[in-house]
Amino acid sequence: MNKTAPESSPAKVKFFSGENIPLELHKVRVVQKLNLVPVERRLAAIAEAGFNTFQLGTSDVYLDMLTDSGTNAMSDAQTASMMQADDAYAGSQSFVRLQSAVEDVFGKKYLLPAHQGRATENVISQAFVKPGSIIPMNYHFTTTLAHITRNGGEVVEILADDALQIQSTKPFKGNMDIGKLEAVIAKHGAAKIPFIRMEASTNLIGGQPFSIANLREVRRVADKHGIMLVLDASLIGENAYFVKQREDEFKTASVATILRELCDLADIVYFSARKVSSSRGGGICTNRKELFDTMKSLIVLYEGFLTYGGISVREIESMAVGLRETTDESVISQSPSFIEYLVGRLQALGIPVVTPAGGLGCHVDARGFLPHIPQKDYPAGALASAFYLASGVRGMERGTVSSVRDAQGNDILADAELLRLAFPRRVFTLSQTKYVEDRLHWLYQNRELIGGIHFVEEPEVLRFFNGRLAANSDWPQKLAAKFRADFGDSL
Ligand SMILES: *Cc1c(COP(=O)(O)O)cnc(C)c1O
């Protein structure tokens, strides 16, 4: 291992009081000042942003819980590694160090770099998806679906029937249903299926993991029919952490061993380094030279030369160190343990949240929170706007606004309407987490004041990023007035 390889520390420290409190196993050495603007400004800001939290500027945002993408805290070792970056168009030693980290952590020899996760999806889709292709997967991710359909393919989601139940005790809601997988292959024929895709810590259903037992079964079926298995490893560290927590066979295994076990089962592993290890970058890795050769000309065409792929060498260095740090349980447990804490507190207050607590963020169930708002009025988008108004905290809509329209122009109603409050790794403190809990509690008490929203500007592709919406009534003004009445001159 590289000299920057971390020492492993325990993930959880027990409290004498018996309280389940996530303990930070790091100290804060660089800080950034935050703004908490008054509710009147928040009311104006969310209207200016077209009731789309993507359109808010961070000068109006207190806690940015939009995403973990590119927002995890960097370690001292990552920052230091950037100073040894080797600037070269071709043959950079920074890339050699990244290759070696990928080989150690993911067990794959061949690495294709790309500027971020969706760029790897572009390359994989262009290389393997043809008009009429069927891509079975546990569940789609927004950019994955867009790239596959753009290349003429069709996505088939095959989770277990109860995986979309908001409140559940199932430890692995991200598992693929093997019976359904067999049925999809029987129906379409293996020849139409270029690959099966499994997504670690399934993002859109609440950061829910799959088990290694399930991945082995998927592999067995894939082998039987001669189909490739592709793993989206953007959130693989958290999935590995949950395997250790929830799958008996791996109770005493190291996170490094679990990561290898997961990746060994896939022909192609791709990832967004913005999530898994650094603030930029992505990659595709494999041990099969012919697959590497099929994809490499697309990297040169879209991303850059094979030893930088659109990423700066400094980022490549920090990706390498960050990837190794992903095997450290005390690092990888930080985000899931804060999420678990918040989910537990919200449940105790009767606020509907996705359970069990997953990776990535705390997911509030907008349909349970706002039963009076029909899905066509975008309850998750309304809740994201209302929560910003109540707190200055920016979450993300993961519901019908993040979905698409069918050929007739009707909304395809999302399976779940969620407000995602992301916990980028090692960024927020416990008191900030308690503030989130407190303001959500207030909002829940005042939920009947919240109304629906509608599109006023709607882009055709990935509309949730740049779309603009408006409130269906003056509910935002009423909510802001109630806030002022309850909180006096406090922000
Ligand atoms: C974020 C993400 C992507 C896309 O990665 P970007 O770096 O944001 O382009 C793909 N798959 C999953 C599961 C993700 O969470």
Side-chain angles (χ1 to χ4, degrees):
M1 288 284 265
N2 182 297
K3 63 179 187 314
T4 53
E7 292 287 319
S8 207
S9 320
K12 277 197 177 167
V13 176
K14 275 194 186 139
F15 276 68
F16 177 59
S17 67
E19 273 184 283
N20 191 11
I21 295 173
L23 188 66
E24 293 89 345
L25 290 165
H26 54 265
K27 60 181 174 182
V28 178
R29 298 192 58 215
V30 177
V31 295
Q32 191 163 43
K33 198 166 158 27
L34 292 169
N35 299 308
L36 179 49
V37 296
V39 69
E40 289 76 15
R41 173 59 205 151
R42 302 198 293 262
L43 176 63
I46 195 65
E48 287 163 19
F51 290 83
N52 178 353
T53 56
F54 276 99
Q55 299 296 317
L56 288 165
T58 52
S59 56
D60 289 318
V61 170
Y62 172 45
L63 304 178
D64 193 1
M65 304 184 106
L66 185 74
T67 174
D68 60 336
S69 182
T71 54
N72 290 323
M74 298 273 272
S75 70
D76 49 356
Q78 277 183 296
T79 313
S81 76
M82 289 178 147
M83 300 309 287
Q84 61 171 355
D86 178 23
D87 267 308
Y89 190 89
S92 164
Q93 292 310 293
S94 298
F95 184 71
V96 174
R97 284 188 276 274
L98 176 60
Q99 249 179 335
S100 127
V102 166
E103 191 162 3
D104 289 344
V105 177
F106 289 162
K108 304 289 188 212
K109 283 205 286 283
Y110 302 108
L111 170 67
L112 295 165
H115 78 276
Q116 65 184 84
R118 71 199 67 182
T120 67
E121 293 173 330
N122 173 41
V123 167
I124 292 169
S125 301
Q126 289 214 30
F128 303 108
V129 178
K130 313 258 168 312
S133 292
I134 302 290
I135 319 292
M137 56 183 65
N138 51 349
Y139 205 73
H140 79 280
F141 182 69
T142 50
T143 55
T144 324
L145 176 68
H147 280 295
I148 289 173
T149 50
R150 226 177 150 77
N151 283 282
E154 189 190 325
V155 162
V156 182
E157 293 165 331
I158 40 183
L159 291 170
D161 289 339
D162 55 359
L164 295 172
Q165 247 171 36
I166 302 285
Q167 276 151 37
S168 162
T169 53
K170 275 186 79 165
F172 294 109
K173 287 165 133 184
N175 277 357
M176 187 170 268
D177 184 306
I178 301 300
K180 288 186 195 168
L181 174 61
E182 289 275 20
V184 168
I185 298 171
K187 178 172 170 204
H188 298 282
K192 283 183 88 174
I193 303 177
F195 59 86
I196 300 167
R197 173 179 174 275
M198 283 292 275
E199 182 181 310
S201 303
T202 323
N203 192 324
L204 296 190
I205 65 163
Q208 300 292 317
F210 56 72
S211 67
I212 289 183
N214 182 252
L215 192 62
R216 285 179 182 146
E217 280 294 288
V218 175
R219 177 81 241 180
R220 182 184 59 75
V221 175
D223 282 343
K224 189 164 90 184
H225 299 281
I227 303 173
M228 271 198 314
L229 177 55
V230 173
L231 174 63
D232 182 331
S234 303
L235 298 169
I236 189 108
E238 286 75 8
N239 202 115
Y241 171 74
F242 289 125
V243 164
K244 186 172 165 93
Q245 300 286 313
R246 301 177 187 177
E247 194 165 359
D248 273 354
E249 182 184 339
F250 297 95
K251 230 190 266 176
T252 57
S254 69
V255 170
T257 305
I258 296 170
L259 279 171
R260 281 297 290 273
E261 187 87 21
L262 286 163
C263 293
D264 284 352
L265 288 162
D267 299 285
I268 292 176
V269 174
Y270 76 87
F271 57 94
S272 163
R274 298 175 63 87
K275 320 277 175 68
V276 81
S277 69
S278 187
S279 56
R280 271 203 66 136
I284 307 171
C285 56
T286 180
N287 280 329
R288 290 176 53 184
K289 176 90 171 29
E290 78 283 9
L291 298 178
F292 172 81
D293 287 338
T294 304
M295 292 182 278
K296 72 181 181 195
S297 58
L298 292 168
I299 294 287
V300 183
L301 190 59
Y302 290 105
E303 300 299 307
F305 192 73
L306 291 180
T307 55
Y308 74 87
I311 325 169
S312 82
V313 280
R314 283 171 194 76
E315 292 290 348
I316 289 177
E317 293 283 359
S318 80
M319 272 170 80
V321 175
L323 209 53
R324 292 188 191 283
E325 289 177 348
T326 298
T327 64
D328 182 339
E329 210 179 323
S330 73
V331 173
I332 207 69
S333 64
Q334 279 299 307
S335 167
S337 58
F338 273 73
I339 294 164
E340 188 188 6
Y341 174 82
L342 181 58
V343 164
R345 304 285 298 188
L346 295 177
Q347 269 192 299
L349 293 167
I351 298 174
V353 280
V354 172
T355 56
L360 187 64
C362 167
H363 294 75
V364 183
D365 171 26
R367 270 196 284 187
F369 202 108
L370 303 169
H372 58 284
I373 300 184
Q375 250 188 305
K376 68 171 184 47
D377 293 340
Y378 308 130
L383 184 56
S385 296
F387 186 53
Y388 168 73
L389 200 62
S391 65
V393 177
R394 166 159 79 167
M396 190 193 289
E397 191 272 2
R398 292 278 84 155
T400 299
V401 173
S402 301
S403 180
V404 291
R405 288 186 188 269
D406 63 18
Q408 287 70 47
N410 299 314
D411 265 331
I412 299 178
L413 300 179
D415 291 326
E417 296 286 341
L418 304 176
L419 162 62
R420 184 182 81 188
L421 300 169
F423 275 85
R425 204 179 291 159
R426 301 192 288 188
V427 171
F428 299 126
T429 64
L430 193 61
S431 50
Q432 290 170 334
T433 307
K434 283 182 166 295
Y435 172 78
V436 171
E437 174 195 333
D438 183 79
R439 289 301 190 260
L440 263 175
H441 187 194
W442 177 83
L443 193 61
Y444 192 59
Q445 299 299 318
N446 291 283
R447 60 192 180 276
E448 77 288 346
L449 291 177
I450 304 171
I453 53 177
H454 60 274
F455 269 104
V456 290
E457 269 174 49
E458 185 178 343
E460 253 176 58
V461 178
L462 297 172
R463 64 182 184 178
F464 61 91
F465 282 134
N466 291 313
R468 297 184 63 80
L469 301 96
N472 293 354
S473 67
D474 65 349
W475 68 260
Q477 286 75 13
K478 287 191 172 133
L479 189 65
K482 181 70 167 42
F483 181 94
R484 187 51 78 218
D486 285 356
F487 287 96
D489 59 3
S490 162
L491 295 173

